[in-house]
Amino acid sequence: AISYSDDVSYGVYEKDGKSFYIANNLCAALGEANFIRDLTAEELSETEVSHPLSEFDGNRPLLAASYVTATTGSGFVHVGPAHDVNDWALWGKAFNEPLLPNGKFADDVPLVGGMNAIKGKNFGDGNQAIIDAIITRGIGWVEEKTMSLPHSWRSGALLFPMATRQWFLRVQDIKEPMIACLNDIPFYPPTARNRIVGMVSSRPDWLISRQRVWGTPMGLLIDQDGSVLRDKTVLENIRRIVEEGDILAWNQITPKEILADTDYDYTQY
């Protein structure tokens, strides 16, 4: 999708036989172009645009967003709900993840399915495939610019923000017993208790799934379709194994061991 601002004035301009939508105060970016007319907010809200790459079928909507400005560019902003929290909230609908945790594009993504978006400290072959497709179709140009991108402070690898499935604890349902337990735990220094109690008191939910290898693991089995195995016997097996072998046991056991004496096919987890 593409986002625009209700607070920005937009217009239609003609150049070289083509029409352009752009914020009126940024029209100089077009060079010599003829102003045709203004665009109303209602027009923009009812407008759909086609994807510039033909492999991506279907039209895309224009969405009003408060974070869009008209200081540079065109006054329109690409919406990537899988990679930006504001875009995710703006889109507000379910979507298939285009990028996988291994840095590859999902197989069902047109043009670049299965290719690397990033590979270590560099962009992958999928990035170049997109650039080549844009240039081949004559809808873009090459311009060298230096950009600051997020990197891992440990490895130096490129980082992409991703919309991922997470687990949350509904704190509002168990707030009182949680605070009671915290009051029974010795804290050093004692004032540290105030911080955690304050956090529990003010939060309705708490994120408990964290993508950190040094964090406490969640004892769950997930099948190849991404569904969690909800079975009390299996959860009890996990609890027993961790209790007997310490938390490090979770990194050593296999689905085969966890699902022993059950009817589940361990190869599916």
Side-chain angles (χ1 to χ4, degrees):
I2 296 175
S3 57
Y4 65 94
S5 173
D6 282 332
D7 298 325
V8 173
S9 171
Y10 295 91
V12 182
Y13 293 78
E14 187 274 333
K15 180 179 181 178
D16 299 331
K18 297 180 180 179
S19 295
F20 295 86
Y21 283 21
I22 192 171
N24 286 321
N25 67 303
L26 297 172
C27 65
L30 295 174
E32 294 186 8
N34 297 319
F35 172 76
I36 305 300
R37 63 182 179 85
D38 286 317
L39 286 165
T40 67
E42 183 179 4
E43 280 185 281
L44 290 172
S45 67
E46 296 176 350
T47 297
E48 290 188 339
V49 295
S50 60
H51 199 286
L53 298 180
S54 58
E55 288 87 350
F56 294 80
D57 295 328
N59 292 335
R60 305 293 191 269
L62 294 186
L63 304 173
S66 60
Y67 56 80
V68 175
T69 63
T71 54
T72 60
S74 63
F76 294 97
V77 179
H78 166 255
V79 176
H83 306 293
D84 181 88
V85 64
N86 290 322
D87 290 353
W88 179 84
L90 179 66
W91 184 247
K93 296 182 289 187
F95 56 86
N96 293 328
E97 293 285 357
L99 188 63
L100 303 177
N102 62 3
K104 291 180 178 291
F105 287 102
D107 290 338
D108 61 351
V109 177
L111 185 66
V112 293
M115 293 185 180
N116 287 301
I118 54 176
K119 194 170 185 179
K121 299 180 181 181
N122 302 304
F123 287 106
D125 51 353
N127 186 69
Q128 189 60 48
I130 294 173
I131 294 174
D132 292 342
I134 291 174
I135 294 175
T136 299
R137 288 161 174 77
I139 54 176
W141 61 91
V142 177
E143 182 177 324
E144 290 191 10
K145 284 191 174 182
T146 300
M147 298 181 63
S148 177
L149 299 173
H151 288 72
S152 167
W153 64 272
R154 277 186 166 83
S155 67
L158 279 170
L159 296 178
F160 274 23
M162 292 178 60
T164 58
R165 296 178 182 273
Q166 302 292 341
W167 286 77
F168 291 83
L169 186 67
R170 195 179 298 279
V171 176
Q172 58 190 4
D173 292 347
I174 54 173
K175 187 170 295 186
E176 292 185 5
M178 283 183 70
I179 293 176
C181 288
L182 289 170
N183 287 330
D184 289 336
I185 297 175
F187 280 81
Y188 301 96
T191 53
R193 176 186 287 106
N194 298 335
R195 178 174 180 270
I196 188 67
V197 169
M199 293 168 69
V200 170
S201 301
S202 61
R203 296 189 181 186
D205 303 299
W206 196 298
L207 176 66
I208 58 175
S209 53
R210 308 289 290 274
Q211 283 64 57
R212 296 175 177 175
V213 294
W214 66 90
T216 302
M218 296 178 63
L220 299 170
L221 288 183
I222 301 176
D223 65 20
Q224 297 178 3
D225 294 326
S227 299
V228 175
L229 178 56
R230 303 173 185 270
D231 185 289
K232 289 185 178 180
T233 300
V234 173
L235 292 175
E236 178 59 27
N237 285 346
I238 295 173
R239 186 203 63 78
R240 175 182 51 78
I241 291 171
V242 172
E243 185 177 39
E244 294 175 355
D246 200 300
I247 194 64
L248 295 178
W250 180 250
N251 296 324
Q252 301 167 356
I253 58 175
T254 65
K256 183 177 182 179
E257 295 173 86
I258 296 174
L259 297 177
D261 302 324
T262 72
D263 295 329
Y264 296 106
D265 180 1
Y266 68 90
T267 64
Q268 301 302 307
Y269 296 90

